[in-house]
Amino acid sequence: MLVRDAMSTVVLTIGPAHTLRQAACLMAARRIGAAVVLDTDAGCLGILTERDILNSVGAGQDPDRETAGTHTTTDVVFAAPSWTLEEAAEAMTHGGFRHLIVLDNDGPVGIVSVRDIIRCWAPVRRHPAILAG
């Protein structure tokens, strides 16, 4: 199975000036764990995760003052839609993260998470006959 089969194609994109509270509200409303942060001025693409927000709040920072840009990971590992789920899982395990932005030639086309991969693998693990059918 490929990343394109598992990824979410609805990608929340926010700007670096969004506060962490705004980002958290948007993420919670969509029940997702990450947002793509697009800084068009700097030509930069990054990711803000629920863990980034949690770390900031846990450190006593004000989510109404802290911005996404300050907490965005810009040293991002990107996946291609043609990667296997094994390749995506290996990249996540090696890098210690739970989300990959999926890029094609035109930019971000999706996000794949550990949860997406598990959702795809779990039925196969329980019912091996699914592969045969």
Side-chain angles (χ1 to χ4, degrees):
M1 191 169 277
L2 302 178
V3 165
R4 75 170 52 91
D5 302 319
M7 71 183 190
S8 172
T9 57
V10 178
V11 179
L12 173 61
T13 304
I14 63 174
H18 277 80
T19 66
L20 292 187
R21 184 177 308 279
Q22 289 170 326
C25 288
L26 292 168
M27 291 164 61
R30 289 164 180 79
R31 299 185 58 154
I32 57 174
V36 172
V37 180
L38 181 60
D39 187 345
T40 54
D41 294 334
C44 183
L45 185 67
I47 191 166
L48 179 74
T49 68
E50 58 198 353
R51 184 176 295 167
D52 298 324
I53 296 169
L54 184 67
N55 287 340
S56 174
V57 171
Q61 296 175 333
D62 183 348
D64 291 313
R65 293 185 187 269
E66 294 295 314
T67 62
T70 306
H71 297 277
T72 297
T73 300
T74 55
D75 183 21
V76 180
V77 175
F78 298 101
S82 60
W83 278 18
T84 65
L85 293 185
E86 288 82 5
E87 288 173 307
E90 185 177 317
M92 290 177 186
T93 301
H94 180 72
F97 43 80
R98 298 178 295 165
H99 299 85
L100 288 169
I101 299 172
V102 184
L103 291 182
D104 72 3
N105 295 332
D106 298 322
V109 294
I111 291 186
V112 65
S113 70
V114 169
R115 181 179 294 166
D116 296 327
I117 293 171
I118 291 170
R119 182 176 33 81
C120 290
W121 281 349
V124 174
R125 302 276 189 252
R126 282 195 313 263
H127 305 288
I130 292 173
L131 288 178

